[in-house]
């Protein structure tokens, strides 16, 4: 990996990790609940959604400190989604971020409730953000609730479960990927631009980039489930095959998936160019999200 990219990732990971650690440890949460929440937060994770949000905010001239509480909120929702995704009733996985999954470490009830607690705490974190106006907070809470809930990630997760063992057309799979993964990734890019002060025209161009990036991210996740390295990924490979999931490699094969992903990467960069951002880090991040090995 390019050294300036790895430095950028490290620096921004540290910012988000410190913010999450402080925010959660300082709240008077029931100790057993806090332990379980912090277990999954501290387990690591690449923090790509917060990093994207910060990069997008900076690209449009905003300050990192204004976007951090929202980036932390998104990472809390993402972490909750992973805790629930790994439950026996869903993907039934034992390893996440290189550690036993939350329900393996504790128990199912604790894992479900730690997920619920991270979900609701995320909205509290936005409401408590110091650098944002009330108007901005209302906008962000509205967008995040749409992206993560019944109109977004949760719906995508149920469609994913309902499509297990079925042959579905590519358009349906794309819809699943868009909802279960794309909506949160898209929120990262769009909310960063919003806080950074993007104008209406820039916002419109960025919508396409954001939607494509979400699909790109999940295509790569599907590819890594087939050809990735479990130690590097920190989660099992082959989980999709065991669960008879509908995936890109399942429908298009690895070659077809790579080809589609590359077409989407080029399209995402073209629409990003139309948004006329001065900062080039977002271009680098598109490539990184697409080519990552974990
Ligand atoms: C995994 O997301 C789940 C998907 C939505 C594909 P990440 O690959 O970002 O997982 P972490 O946060 O680094 O653990
Ligand atoms: C999960 O997709 C997406 C969400 C958690 C919303 P996957 O089930 O493919 O994620 P991994 O592969 O377990 O990380
Ligand atoms: Mg899943
Ligand atoms: Mg899973
Ligand atoms: Mg997966």
């Amino acid at each position: 990996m390019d050294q300036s990219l790895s430095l950028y990732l490290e620096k921004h990971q540290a910012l988000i990790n410190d913010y999450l650690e402080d925010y959660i440890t300082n709240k008077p949460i029931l100790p057993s609940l806090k332990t379980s929440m912090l277990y999954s937060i501290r387990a690591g994770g690449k923090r790509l959604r917060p990093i994207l949000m910060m990069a997008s905010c900076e690209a449009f001239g905003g300050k990192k400190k204004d976007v951090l509480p929202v980036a932390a909120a998104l990472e809390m929702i993402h972490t909750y989604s992973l805790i629930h995704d790994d439950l026996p009733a869903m993907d039934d996985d034992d390893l996440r971020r290189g550690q036993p999954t939350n329900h393996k470490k504790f128990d199912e009830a604790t894992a479900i409730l730690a997920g619920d607690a991270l979900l609701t705490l995320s909205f509290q974190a936005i409401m408590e953000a110091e650098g944002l106006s009330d108007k901005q907070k209302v906008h962000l809470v509205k967008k995040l609730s749409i992206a993560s809930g019944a109109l977004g990630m949760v719906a995508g997760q149920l469609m994913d479960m309902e499509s297990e063992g079925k042959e579905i057309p590519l358009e349906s799979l794309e819809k699943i990927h868009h909802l279960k993964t794309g909506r949160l990734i898209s929120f990262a890019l769009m909310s960063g631009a919003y806080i950074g002060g993007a104008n209406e025209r820039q916002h419109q161009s960025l919508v396409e980039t954001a939607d494509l990036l979400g699909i790109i991210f999940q295509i790569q996740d599907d590819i890594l489930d087939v050809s990735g390295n479990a130690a590097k990924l920190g989660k099992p490979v082959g989980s999709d095959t065991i669960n008879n999931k509908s995936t890109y490699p399942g429908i298009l094969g690895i070659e077809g998936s790579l080809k589609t992903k590359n077409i989407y990467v080029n399209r995402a960069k073209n629409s990003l160019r139309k948004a006329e951002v001065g900062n080039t880090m977002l271009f680098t991040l598109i490539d990184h999200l697409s080519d990552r090995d974990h």
Side-chain angles (χ1 to χ4, degrees):
M1 192 197 297
D2 176 69
Q3 207 195 351
S4 65
L5 174 63
S6 67
L7 285 173
Y8 185 90
L9 296 177
E10 261 174 49
K11 180 177 150 200
H12 289 76
Q13 270 161 5
L15 283 172
I16 187 72
N17 287 346
D18 289 350
Y19 192 92
L20 281 165
E21 184 71 28
D22 276 7
Y23 186 77
I24 300 174
T25 44
N26 288 323
K27 288 271 178 267
I29 301 169
L30 178 76
S32 49
L33 185 58
K34 189 188 268 192
T35 303
S36 171
M37 292 160 78
L38 282 172
Y39 172 76
S40 291
I41 290 282
R42 285 178 182 152
K46 299 178 291 293
R47 312 302 196 210
L48 288 173
R49 292 157 191 77
I51 291 170
L52 260 184
M53 201 191 293
M54 287 187 261
S56 177
C57 181
E58 286 178 313
F60 292 97
K63 295 195 206 88
K64 267 197 282 272
K65 74 168 177 28
D66 293 341
V67 82
L68 257 176
V70 187
L74 180 57
E75 187 64 19
M76 284 189 238
I77 293 204
H78 167 60
T79 303
Y80 125 73
S81 81
L82 298 180
I83 295 174
H84 284 195
D85 182 74
D86 292 330
L87 286 167
M90 295 193 67
D91 294 353
D92 193 13
D93 280 318
D94 294 351
L95 197 70
R96 172 67 67 183
R97 295 175 164 174
Q99 316 267 358
T101 43
N102 198 293
H103 66 274
K104 283 280 165 190
K105 174 77 181 178
F106 304 97
D107 54 44
E108 278 184 52
T110 309
I112 290 168
L113 293 167
D116 294 341
L118 285 168
L119 166 61
T120 36
L121 192 61
S122 74
F123 291 104
Q124 189 176 339
I126 296 180
M127 297 320 286
E128 290 173 354
E130 277 169 14
L132 301 174
S133 67
D134 286 353
K135 187 177 165 219
Q136 285 177 311
K137 289 177 191 175
V138 169
H139 174 90
L140 290 162
V141 165
K142 181 179 173 189
K143 293 289 183 188
L144 184 56
S145 54
I146 294 172
S148 56
L151 298 172
M153 184 270 285
V154 170
Q157 285 286 71
L158 186 57
M159 286 169 72
D160 171 288
M161 297 303 300
E162 288 174 346
S163 77
E164 280 184 5
K166 293 201 185 117
E167 274 189 32
I168 59 168
L170 190 59
E171 302 85 74
S172 308
L173 180 65
E174 194 145 300
K175 178 85 189 161
I176 294 174
H177 282 20
H178 173 65
L179 289 172
K180 78 171 188 183
T181 300
R183 284 303 186 87
L184 292 189
I185 301 260
S186 162
F187 176 81
L189 216 61
M190 299 311 295
S191 61
Y194 171 75
I195 297 166
N199 64 34
E200 189 46 39
R201 202 180 37 77
Q202 289 174 314
H203 216 77
Q204 286 310 322
S205 310
L206 211 59
V207 169
E208 194 187 341
T209 313
D211 284 347
L212 287 164
L213 195 54
I215 311 261
I216 291 166
F217 190 86
Q218 186 65 42
I219 296 178
Q220 183 64 3
D221 184 81
D222 288 356
I223 291 173
L224 289 170
D225 191 84
V226 177
S227 60
N229 174 309
K232 245 185 205 153
L233 287 170
K235 63 184 183 183
V237 294
S239 173
D240 293 339
T241 315
I242 291 170
N243 288 320
N244 280 307
K245 293 284 188 191
S246 297
T247 63
Y248 259 79
I251 295 183
L252 292 181
I254 293 282
E255 283 300 310
S257 304
L258 290 170
K259 220 165 143 184
T260 305
K261 193 180 64 163
N262 286 337
I263 292 171
Y264 287 177
V265 164
N266 286 329
R267 269 201 231 159
K269 288 183 183 169
N270 280 337
S271 52
L272 181 58
R273 266 179 220 112
K274 286 189 205 137
E276 289 174 355
V277 281
N279 180 310
T280 55
M281 194 40 84
L282 285 174
F283 289 100
T284 310
L285 286 173
I286 292 176
D287 283 328
H288 176 60
L289 259 64
S290 162
D291 296 335
R292 67 202 164 83
D293 61 4
H294 68 290

